Amino acid sequence: MMGNRTTVSTFLLWGFSSFPDLQGLLFGLLFVMIFFCHVTILAANVSVMVAIKLSHNLHTPMYFFLCGLSFSETCATMVIIPRMLVDLLSDSKTISLPECATQMFFFFGLAGNNCFIMAAMSYDRYTAIHNPLRYAILMTHRICFQLLMASSVTGTVMSLCIVLIVFNLSFCDSSTIQHFFCDIAPVVSLACDYTLFQKMILLVCIVFVLVGSFVLIMISYVFIVSIVVKMPSAKGRYKAFYTCSSHLTVVCLHYGFAGFVYLRPKDSDSFRDDMLMAVTYTVLTPLLNPIVYSLRNKEMQIALGKVLDNVYRFFSQMEFDYSQAEHGLVRYQNTKWKSAYGRLEVLAETWAFCSASLIEFVK
């Protein structure tokens, strides 16, 4: 269906090439910065997920949603940043139409999933503050899983609607996308038959995801504030607001940047500004989220400290095991290593050392 109406089969992701000042050394510095941020994003989010998995104190609804958010953000960055890094070093920045549609589908599906997970997290905070005695009954593991699945399905459906509308257009003019990934506005600007009706449908989808989830979050926080201000204890009010501060900070970062890009009027001159802002919400926001949750949460700090300590002990033990195995090889070289049975015994000893180290790390 897309192939019958589209004359353009490949696009050119022009990306940062639209900034003539970014040449040579500056391009290299940009690559190093984005690569470092990407590695840090992966390490930070994986550390958060591992800490939540291994620490029984964090097996609560709030950290369950945080684990889902970290996983979703990690996947979203994997959709965008590796391709961005390749294009920074490559002269050929072409992307086929199916690849472009796939990238758009996964990115907006995961982005929508993030929005509704944050809405679920705000509801979780409201429930914890409004009904602390019934919290365990109201927020069971089954309900949390259903909310997480509903977020995923909603994001996927909205993303599918966006992709079907965008890639049923006819692209018969320029094939140069003024962006580093297949974003909505730069792609539809290349279409010949982009009508007001299609524009309104896309706007409805975007508003449903961004504004709809944001309204749900604000409703939860209105009820939270109305409950907290009635608390007689200043310490209780501080504790209630403090538990929400990390989530509220992430919400402000996420919706501030995304709203600036997707909810303001577009023209061809705004693509450069949108591209710079897109670097913020595709690179900086996923980098800041685990940092915000870690810095403002003592439980998470303790759990991450245990993970880092286990990682350090694991590699220290591996280094010790390696030296022991090497010593064992030397020890058996003149006695048993020359025989088949001796070699098997040495290998079994080495495997036992490695297995014990891995088990100790998991514990």
Side-chain angles (χ1 to χ4, degrees):
M1 180 169 58
M2 288 187 295
N4 294 334
R5 298 191 57 191
T6 306
T7 58
V8 175
S9 59
T10 59
F11 294 112
L12 180 66
L13 287 173
W14 197 236
F16 297 103
S17 299
S18 57
F19 297 92
D21 296 334
L22 290 176
Q23 299 295 334
L25 181 61
L26 290 178
F27 249 80
L29 290 175
L30 181 64
F31 175 86
V32 172
M33 289 175 58
I34 295 176
F35 177 78
F36 175 77
C37 288
H38 184 49
V39 172
T40 307
I41 289 168
L42 296 179
N45 282 291
V46 169
S47 297
V48 167
M49 289 186 284
V50 172
I52 293 172
K53 177 66 176 177
L54 297 182
S55 178
H56 294 288
N57 294 333
L58 302 183
H59 290 179
T60 62
M62 181 177 73
Y63 293 107
F64 177 78
F65 290 127
L66 178 57
C67 186
L69 181 64
S70 296
F71 178 76
S72 182
E73 286 193 331
T74 302
C75 294
T77 57
M78 291 297 294
V79 172
I80 301 297
I81 298 181
R83 173 76 199 209
M84 185 201 310
L85 293 173
V86 170
D87 287 340
L88 280 172
L89 298 179
S90 175
D91 294 330
S92 175
K93 306 176 189 297
T94 58
I95 183 171
S96 67
L97 191 141
E99 289 174 338
C100 188
T102 302
Q103 186 187 56
M104 183 181 291
F105 170 75
F106 280 106
F107 177 74
F108 284 102
L110 292 165
N113 183 39
N114 293 345
C115 291
F116 287 103
I117 287 178
M118 283 188 277
M121 293 173 78
S122 66
Y123 173 73
D124 169 70
R125 292 297 83 208
Y126 162 72
T127 306
I129 294 173
H130 181 251
N131 290 305
L133 298 179
R134 301 182 60 213
Y135 177 66
I137 300 174
L138 295 173
M139 296 299 294
T140 62
H141 181 75
R142 179 181 179 182
I143 292 175
C144 293
F145 182 77
Q146 289 174 345
L147 288 172
L148 202 64
M149 288 298 100
S151 301
S152 179
V153 170
T154 305
T156 301
V157 171
M158 288 296 102
S159 179
L160 183 61
C161 292
I162 290 172
V163 169
L164 289 177
I165 293 170
V166 171
F167 289 92
N168 270 307
L169 299 172
S170 296
F171 303 99
C172 51
D173 292 332
S174 173
S175 61
T176 302
I177 298 175
Q178 299 292 332
H179 214 298
F180 57 81
F181 76 98
C182 293
D183 205 354
I184 297 173
V187 173
V188 298
S189 67
L190 307 178
C192 309
D193 54 350
Y194 186 43
T195 64
L196 179 62
F197 175 75
Q198 293 162 326
K199 184 176 182 180
M200 294 304 298
I201 296 297
L202 286 175
L203 182 61
V204 167
C205 293
I206 295 171
V207 168
F208 177 82
V209 173
L210 281 178
V211 179
S213 59
F214 185 73
V215 167
L216 293 176
I217 293 171
M218 288 300 101
I219 291 174
S220 295
Y221 274 106
V222 167
F223 284 110
I224 289 173
V225 171
S226 66
I227 295 169
V228 171
V229 295
K230 297 177 183 178
M231 291 180 176
S233 170
K235 185 178 180 180
R237 290 195 296 269
Y238 173 79
K239 184 178 180 181
F241 279 124
Y242 188 81
T243 58
C244 301
S245 59
S246 298
H247 177 257
L248 198 56
T249 303
V250 171
V251 167
C252 292
L253 289 171
H254 180 85
Y255 284 92
F257 294 128
F260 178 82
V261 172
Y262 293 107
L263 297 180
R264 69 188 181 99
K266 294 288 188 299
D267 56 65
S268 58
D269 296 329
S270 68
F271 290 156
R272 285 162 59 97
D273 297 334
D274 289 349
M275 195 191 320
L276 293 175
M277 195 60 63
V279 175
T280 305
Y281 68 77
T282 56
V283 178
L284 292 183
T285 302
L287 179 63
L288 291 174
N289 287 356
I291 295 175
V292 168
Y293 278 107
S294 301
L295 292 178
R296 302 186 64 87
N297 193 309
K298 291 182 180 180
E299 291 179 329
M300 181 59 71
Q301 291 176 14
I302 294 172
L304 286 173
K306 291 180 179 179
V307 170
L308 294 177
D309 183 60
N310 286 338
V311 170
Y312 173 77
R313 287 193 293 110
F314 173 72
F315 282 107
S316 299
Q317 186 67 31
M318 285 294 293
E319 183 179 0
F320 174 77
D321 293 344
Y322 177 77
S323 63
Q324 288 290 99
E326 187 177 18
H327 176 70
L329 292 179
V330 173
R331 179 161 49 90
Y332 284 117
Q333 185 174 11
N334 297 325
T335 56
K336 297 182 179 180
W337 187 252
K338 294 182 180 180
S339 66
Y341 178 78
R343 288 194 291 270
L344 288 174
E345 187 174 349
V346 173
L347 292 175
E349 181 180 345
T350 305
W351 173 254
F353 279 133
C354 295
S355 300
S357 301
L358 184 60
I359 292 172
E360 181 66 24
F361 172 69
V362 173
K363 289 182 179 178

